[in-house]
């Protein structure tokens, strides 16, 4: 909407060289819900940074997307990449929950790494390719939480 604060980012860590921390502190926000793309880049970097900065974080795992990656000559499927990063974030940095966990999600204010929830590209093997309903539910939840 016209009164929303938009923070432009240029790095996977949304806090790096941006106004995000300043804007969150100015708004008195202490808890963040994170979703978007890509699980192994922006979601991971931003969630870890937010936790290190003292924010309570929740990641809506079924509203995050990633793609196949390659390491040491081996292709790693997107679903395995996503699971590995969600597991690591859940170990020490965030509560990792599905979008259906409304009671937990409702206590958190929301940021997304791409200003709007990232939609999967039809030409890429995203983990959310078949799960756009979760992205829609988070989009609706964001709209509801912003108005409350």
């Amino acid at each position: 909407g016209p009164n929303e604060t938009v923070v432009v980012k240029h790095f996977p860590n949304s806090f790096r060289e941006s106004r995000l921390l300043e804007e969150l502190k100015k708004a008195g926000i202490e808890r963040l819900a994170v979703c978007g793309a890509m699980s192994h880049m922006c979601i991971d970097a931003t969630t870890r940074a937010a936790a290190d900065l003292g924010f309570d974080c929740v990641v809506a795992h079924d509203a995050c997307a990633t793609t196949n990656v390659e390491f040491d000559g081996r292709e790693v499927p997107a679903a395995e990449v996503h699971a590995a990063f969600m597991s690591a974030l859940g170990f020490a940095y965030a509560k990792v929950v599905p979008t259906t966990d409304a009671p937990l999600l409702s206590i958190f204010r929301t940021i997304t790494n791409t200003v709007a929830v990232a939609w999967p590209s039809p030409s890429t093997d995203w983990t959310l390719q078949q799960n756009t309903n979760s992205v829609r539910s988070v989009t609706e939840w964001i709209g509801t939480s912003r108005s409350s």
Side-chain angles (χ1 to χ4, degrees):
N3 296 326
E4 288 184 350
T5 300
V6 176
V7 176
V8 177
K9 71 180 203 80
H10 301 284
F11 299 95
N13 173 354
S14 297
F15 292 94
R16 181 178 169 195
E17 298 180 32
S18 78
R19 299 183 348 263
L20 182 58
L21 180 60
E22 173 188 336
E23 294 295 334
L24 293 173
K25 284 185 172 189
K26 186 168 64 174
I29 294 172
E30 298 174 350
R31 297 172 296 200
L32 303 176
V34 183
C35 60
M38 288 193 300
S39 303
H40 69 284
M41 294 295 295
C42 298
I43 301 303
D44 181 64
T46 299
T47 302
R48 289 173 186 253
D52 288 344
L53 290 166
F55 291 96
D56 291 327
C57 299
V58 64
V59 174
H61 69 79
D62 56 351
C64 297
T66 196
T67 188
N68 297 342
V69 296
E70 183 187 326
F71 178 74
D72 200 24
R74 177 176 166 245
E75 184 167 313
V76 183
E80 291 180 26
V81 174
H82 181 74
F85 276 85
M86 293 301 107
S87 174
L89 289 175
F91 180 75
Y93 292 96
K95 291 188 184 330
V96 179
V97 300
T99 54
T100 55
D101 196 341
L104 180 61
L105 289 175
S106 67
I107 66 169
F108 287 85
R109 301 293 290 272
T110 301
I111 62 167
T112 58
N113 278 308
T114 55
V115 180
V117 173
W119 288 94
S121 163
S123 62
T124 309
D125 181 19
W126 295 90
T127 57
L128 286 184
Q129 194 106 31
Q130 304 300 320
N131 200 6
T132 56
N133 286 336
S134 291
V135 176
R136 283 192 192 101
S137 68
V138 166
T139 303
E140 290 164 9
W141 174 72
I142 290 168
T144 304
S145 69
R146 285 184 179 166
S147 61
S148 55

